[in-house]
Amino acid sequence: MPKSQVRKKKVYTPPTDIRPAAAAASKKPSPTWLPITAVGLIVVGIAWLVVYYLSSQQYPVEAWRYWNLAIGFGCMVGSLAILSKWR
C-alpha cells in the first residue's frame, strides 16, 4: 500500500502591526488598597449577615428589618465590583 505524503505545517508569524509586548507594558498594576478594600468589604458583609441572624434580627439595626440583608449582600457585591478592576 502506498504511503501518504506528510504535509509540512506553515510556521506562524504574527502580524508586525500588533505588538503584544507594548500593550502589556502599558497596563499598570493595581494599587495596594484595592484588594485590601475588597477583602474588607467581604468581611464586613459576612459579619453583618452573621450578626443579623445570630441576634434574631435585632442587630445591627433593628428598624431596618430586611434591609440588613441588602446591606450585607451589597457589601459583598461591591467587593466583586472592586475586584473586577484588579490586575
Side-chain angles (χ1 to χ4, degrees), residues 6-86:
V6 178
R7 297 181 188 168
K8 291 186 179 182
K9 293 182 180 181
K10 294 181 181 179
V11 178
Y12 175 74
T13 55
T16 57
D17 59 340
I18 300 174
R19 294 185 181 169
S26 67
K27 292 184 179 181
K28 296 178 186 176
S30 298
T32 56
W33 62 266
L34 197 134
I36 294 169
T37 305
V39 170
L41 276 174
I42 290 172
V43 169
V44 167
I46 291 173
W48 192 284
L49 293 174
V50 167
V51 168
Y52 179 69
Y53 278 116
L54 291 180
S55 69
S56 300
Q57 292 85 24
Q58 290 181 346
Y59 296 106
V61 182
E62 186 177 9
W64 291 353
R65 297 177 38 128
Y66 292 113
W67 283 103
N68 285 306
L69 295 174
I71 291 169
F73 285 114
C75 286
M76 291 188 282
V77 169
S79 70
L80 290 175
I82 291 175
L83 285 174
S84 70
K85 306 293 183 191
W86 191 21

